[in-house]
């Protein structure tokens, strides 16, 4: 029997998954060899592995994971070592097939190392085998074939959120990514789908052998490959119980669907779901969501070779929007930024909203598809990463044009408030937008100066008073201008932040689809008067009582804009810097973001308004 191998990672979507290891079938890595590889191609394969591992080591070092970076650096050195590469090339020249030649060279080198008395050096034998396997995979064009027929766990250097959606209904039982953190989009989608996932995993996991059985325990943060029989049996028993609980929770949620969500003291809350696929939409609606509060359209196109055309958008939108008859459907324009930049924009000067606005054809194509597919829904259009009034005006003009061409009245146009300067200037943006949707994922990482995809960035960090104070400002500006406001960032489903948002008077929340029933229960357990007091405590200001919290629709007209262009980022994050350097100067003016240093509240200091944190059961029961 093979000894178990254990790999640690940061749990970013809880639950337990059982399945075979599968390294994915990304077409992006395909080289498409039909003839036997040449000597140069074998050398190139080792060089590619060396480059890849060196790049990974640099990323890990940049994230402060020096220990892991050292391990990966060794793999880079092994892949570049003539002591491994030359024998492989010689074996090929002597007539062996490429895979055999590489394997033989790897085994010979591994045997030499394993025989060394120094245990540290002896352990490198495994690294040599992994490098040899990676070189073979590179030559074969992908790390694996199509997904196994049985349940499987996707293990990748960087899990692509689109892969999770694509594989979700093909037996995917969980995912492990060496890169990323809790606010990476892969983690967000995994939570939405209710799939267990580890991010920032031990890079050695890339060497785990395809087809071997594994337990992914995203409560303890461990992937166990070839687990011992008793451990496997115990996990299988737990999984069976969890599945039964999940079924009854789903039945309960289905019964509660369309029933108004209220706080413990009767304040109504609209609960929507965040989706990027029809599967998530079904899950969210069956869990009780009133509709979709954020449709992330870019996820479907992260491997696109060019801007999607109207038929591409229709193919993506129609299966989702056909589930949303007479329901809210808030569709966001393509947000090709951060970890969602498709190959055709990766080296472009502009990404994200700038790139879309500078390609009016692409913007028009998407708006037309939204209008066509959105007939029969309560459609709204949402603009991501807004920084200036000029951006909103440009989209509004394009929307009016597209609607006129379709013979329709333009739907509502809202903005994501997820840039700190935009949040700080929400009053000015309230003159231009029909509604605000607060994106706590980006907002939190910018305000706290954190790498959005890093391990330190979690939804709970939005409880920081610096972030909450900005959210409070946005809510107040919205209320003063009669503009609807919601929160669609992942903090809305965080046990620490959710009650604080309710306490700030947020009455519409949009959360990962699988989290809807859990969030509904949390809302029902929250006393809004207590939540208001706690939120006031955190933001350091007195808040009005719950009766005054909802936006008063009779409030006088919106104030005039302070200037045509108002916002500029207080600090650029990794997420945004690539696309902003040039555009910020042309489209933005000046105010700064008032962000004072503050201390993070803990659950202990938050008191009774805060319901208990979710247990594994409460997460997985919604899966
Ligand atoms: C956010 O930033 O909070 C948000 C909802 O947008 P995304 O996670 O897609 O960047
Ligand atoms: Mg965002």
């Amino acid at each position: 029997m093979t000894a178990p191998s254990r790999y640690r990672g940061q749990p970013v979507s809880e639950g337990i998954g059982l399945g075979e290891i599968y390294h994915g079938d990304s077409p992006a890595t395909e080289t498409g060899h039909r003839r036997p590889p040449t000597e140069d191609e074998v050398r190139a394969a080792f060089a590619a592995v060396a480059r890849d591992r060196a790049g990974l080591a640099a990323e890990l070092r940049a994230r402060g994971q020096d220990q892991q970076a050292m391990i990966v650096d060794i793999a880079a050195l092994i892949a570049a070592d003539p002591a491994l590469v030359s024998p492989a090339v010689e074996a090929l020249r002597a007539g062996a097939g490429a895979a055999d030649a590489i394997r033989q060279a790897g085994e010979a080198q591994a045997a030499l190392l394993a025989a060394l008395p120094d245990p540290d050096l002896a352990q490198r034998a495994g690294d040599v085998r992994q490098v040899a396997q990676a070189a073979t995979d590179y030559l074969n064009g992908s790390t694996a074939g199509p997904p196994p027929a049985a349940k499987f766990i996707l293990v990748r250097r960087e899990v692509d959120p689109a892969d999770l959606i694509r594989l979700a209904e093909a037996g995917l039982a969980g995912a492990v990514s060496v890169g990323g953190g809790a606010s990476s989009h892969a983690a967000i989608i995994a939570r939405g789908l209710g799939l267990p996932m580890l991010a920032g995993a031990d890079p050695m996991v890339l060497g785990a052998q395809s087809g071997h059985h594994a337990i992914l325990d995203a409560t303890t943060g461990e992937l166990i490959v070839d687990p011992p029989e008793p451990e496997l049996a115990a996990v299988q028993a737990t999984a069976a119980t969890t599945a039964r609980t999940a079924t009854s929770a789903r039945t309960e949620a289905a019964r509660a669907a369309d029933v108004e969500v209220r706080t413990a003291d009767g304040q109504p809350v609209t609960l929507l779901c965040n989706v990027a696929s029809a599967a998530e939409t079904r899950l969210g609606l069956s869990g009780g969501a009133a509709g979709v509060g954020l449709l992330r359209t870019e996820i479907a196109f992260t491997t696109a070779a060019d801007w999607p055309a109207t038929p591409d958008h229709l193919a993506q939108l129609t299966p989702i929007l056909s589930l949303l008859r007479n329901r809210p459907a808030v569709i966001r324009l393509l947000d090709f930024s951060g970890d969602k930049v498709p190959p055709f924009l990766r080296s472009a000067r502009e990404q994200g909203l700038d790139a879309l606005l500078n390609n009016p054809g692409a913007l028009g194509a998407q708006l037309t598809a939204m209008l066509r597919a959105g007939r029969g829904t309560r459609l709204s259009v949402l603009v991501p990463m807004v920084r200036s009034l000029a951006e909103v005006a440009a989209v509004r003009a394009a929307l009016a044009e597209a609607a006129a061409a379709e013979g329709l009245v333009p739907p509502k146009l809202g903005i994501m408030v997820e840039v700190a300067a935009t949040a700080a200037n929400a009053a000015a943006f309230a003159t231009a937008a029909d509604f605000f949707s607060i994106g706590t994922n980006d907002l939190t990482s910018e305000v706290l100066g954190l790498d959005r995809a890093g391990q330190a960035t979690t939804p709970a960090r939005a409880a920081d008073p610096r972030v909450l104070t900005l959210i409070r400002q946005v809510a107040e500006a919205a209320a003063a201008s009669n503009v609807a406001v919601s929160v669609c960032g992942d903090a809305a489903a965080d046990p620490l932040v959710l009650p604080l948002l309710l306490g700030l008077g947020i009455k519409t929340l949009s959360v990962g689809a699988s989290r809807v029933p859990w969030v509904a229960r949390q809302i029902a357990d929250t006393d809004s008067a207590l939540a208001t007091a706690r939120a006031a405590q955190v933001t350091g200001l007195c808040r009005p009582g719950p009766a005054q919290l909802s936006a008063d629709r009779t409030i006088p007209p919106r104030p005039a804009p302070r200037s045509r262009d108002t916002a500029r980022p207080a600090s650029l994050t990794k997420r945004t810097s690539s696309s902003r350097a040039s555009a910020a100067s042309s489209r933005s003016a000046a105010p700064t973001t008032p962000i004072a240093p503050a201390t993070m509240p803990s659950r202990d200091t938050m008191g009774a308004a805060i319901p208990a944190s979710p247990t594994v059961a409460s997460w997985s029961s919604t899966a």
Side-chain angles (χ1 to χ4, degrees):
M1 209 189 111
T2 327
S5 310
R6 294 169 188 271
Y7 306 93
R8 297 213 56 87
Q10 177 195 6
V12 293
S13 178
E14 284 187 327
I16 296 178
L18 290 164
E20 293 175 19
I21 295 293
Y22 173 58
H23 288 283
D25 59 350
S26 170
T29 58
E30 266 169 32
T31 54
H33 279 291
R34 291 214 176 80
R35 53 177 175 73
T38 63
E39 292 173 24
D40 278 348
E41 283 167 342
V42 169
R43 281 195 202 90
F46 278 108
V49 174
R51 265 197 316 277
D52 178 79
R53 299 301 192 258
L56 176 56
E59 277 171 36
L60 290 166
R61 200 160 279 117
R63 280 186 224 152
Q65 293 171 258
D66 289 350
Q67 193 88 21
Q68 294 188 324
M70 251 163 55
I71 296 171
V72 179
D73 263 337
I74 291 172
L77 290 174
I78 291 171
D81 189 351
L84 175 64
V85 181
S86 301
V89 171
E90 275 157 29
L92 188 79
R93 198 176 297 146
D100 277 346
I102 293 173
R103 195 182 41 75
Q104 282 167 23
E107 284 306 322
Q109 189 69 6
L112 281 177
L113 285 168
L116 292 173
D118 180 334
D120 283 344
L121 287 175
Q123 269 185 14
R124 300 280 76 83
D127 300 354
V128 172
R129 290 194 182 97
Q130 283 169 15
V131 165
Q133 184 59 50
T136 306
D137 288 343
Y138 181 87
L139 276 177
N140 287 346
S142 76
T143 49
K151 291 265 181 210
F152 59 92
I153 293 166
L154 182 68
V155 176
R156 296 201 68 124
R157 181 180 154 172
E158 220 37 91
V159 167
D160 184 332
D163 281 344
L164 297 181
I165 289 172
R166 188 169 54 86
L167 298 170
E169 287 173 339
L172 183 64
V176 177
S177 181
V178 172
S183 291
S184 301
H185 282 87
I188 288 171
I189 297 293
R191 288 197 290 273
L193 288 164
L195 280 170
M197 179 171 169
L198 304 181
D202 177 353
M204 300 311 280
V205 75
L206 296 173
Q209 281 203 329
S210 297
H212 282 227
H213 285 289
I215 299 170
L216 170 55
D217 188 339
T219 44
T220 60
E222 201 172 35
L223 177 78
I224 308 143
V225 182
D226 299 318
E229 205 47 60
E231 195 169 357
L232 186 61
V235 170
Q236 275 165 337
T238 311
T241 316
T242 309
R244 274 195 299 277
T245 320
T247 310
S248 73
R250 261 198 298 272
T251 316
E252 195 194 310
R255 260 191 245 120
D258 293 330
V259 174
E260 215 178 32
V261 179
R262 285 181 182 272
T263 58
D265 53 330
Q267 300 287 318
V269 175
T270 303
L271 187 52
L272 305 166
C273 59
N274 298 341
V275 305
S277 63
E280 289 161 282
T281 311
R282 280 191 291 274
L283 191 60
L285 294 180
S286 71
V292 164
L294 170 63
L295 200 170
R296 288 183 169 97
T297 55
E298 63 282 349
I299 302 285
F301 298 111
T302 50
T303 56
D306 205 344
W307 287 103
T310 299
D312 304 317
H313 286 296
L314 284 171
Q316 181 217 7
L317 293 176
T318 307
I320 300 173
L321 296 183
S322 61
L323 301 168
L324 295 171
R325 258 204 109 61
N326 298 323
R327 291 178 185 267
V330 183
I331 315 183
R332 192 172 69 182
L333 289 173
L334 292 166
D335 183 11
F336 283 147
S337 62
D339 57 358
K340 300 175 296 186
V341 181
F344 78 95
L345 275 181
R346 276 185 203 150
S347 48
R349 247 183 79 242
E350 288 174 334
Q351 296 171 345
L353 184 61
D354 291 333
L356 188 62
L357 292 179
N358 286 334
N359 282 274
L363 174 61
Q366 186 173 27
L367 290 171
T368 300
M370 286 179 180
L371 292 163
R372 284 186 196 160
R375 282 173 199 262
T377 71
R378 284 158 54 198
L379 177 70
S380 313
V381 175
L382 183 59
V383 191
M385 297 300 285
V386 168
R387 285 161 194 276
S388 75
L389 293 172
E391 291 168 341
V392 188
V395 177
R396 199 177 278 287
L399 183 58
E401 196 182 316
E406 295 298 306
L408 296 169
V409 176
K412 287 201 168 127
L413 181 68
I415 62 163
M416 291 286 299
V417 180
E418 51 184 345
V419 171
T422 303
N425 292 286
F429 283 94
T431 63
D434 299 326
F435 63 95
F436 289 158
S437 186
I438 302 175
T440 52
N441 303 331
D442 280 308
L443 188 64
T444 305
S445 71
E446 184 189 345
V447 171
L448 303 185
L450 297 168
D451 172 5
R452 157 100 192 237
Q455 292 191 26
T457 309
T458 62
R461 300 295 295 260
D464 188 294
R466 288 167 288 181
V467 181
L468 272 194
T469 301
L470 272 180
I471 296 175
R472 190 200 68 218
Q473 278 178 247
V474 178
E476 285 172 352
S481 298
N482 200 19
V483 162
V485 61
S486 60
V487 172
C488 67
D490 278 45
D494 181 84
L496 184 60
V497 190
L498 166 58
L500 293 169
L501 295 174
L502 296 172
L504 291 177
I506 303 291
K507 298 286 184 185
T508 302
L509 299 165
S510 192
V511 302
S514 80
R515 313 272 352 250
V516 170
W518 181 84
V519 171
R521 285 197 296 277
Q522 293 298 105
I523 293 170
D525 285 348
T526 302
D527 180 284
S528 66
L530 276 174
T532 302
R534 292 303 179 207
Q537 205 179 333
V538 175
T539 58
L541 283 177
C542 277
R543 300 284 306 152
Q548 292 157 270
L549 285 176
S550 59
D552 181 351
R553 312 302 291 182
T554 63
I555 273 169
R558 300 172 193 174
R562 274 183 259 157
S563 71
R564 218 179 126 57
D565 289 306
T566 53
R568 194 181 54 166
S571 65
L572 292 177
T573 62
K574 200 174 169 193
R575 161 82 153 85
T576 54
S577 55
S578 54
S579 62
R580 290 296 166 186
S582 59
S585 57
S586 63
R587 268 204 272 271
S588 304
T592 51
T593 309
I595 303 166
T599 8
M600 180 87 171
S602 71
R603 189 172 312 288
D604 290 347
T605 61
M606 300 300 297
I610 316 299
S613 74
T615 59
V616 180
S618 72
W619 282 68
S620 51
S621 67
T622 59

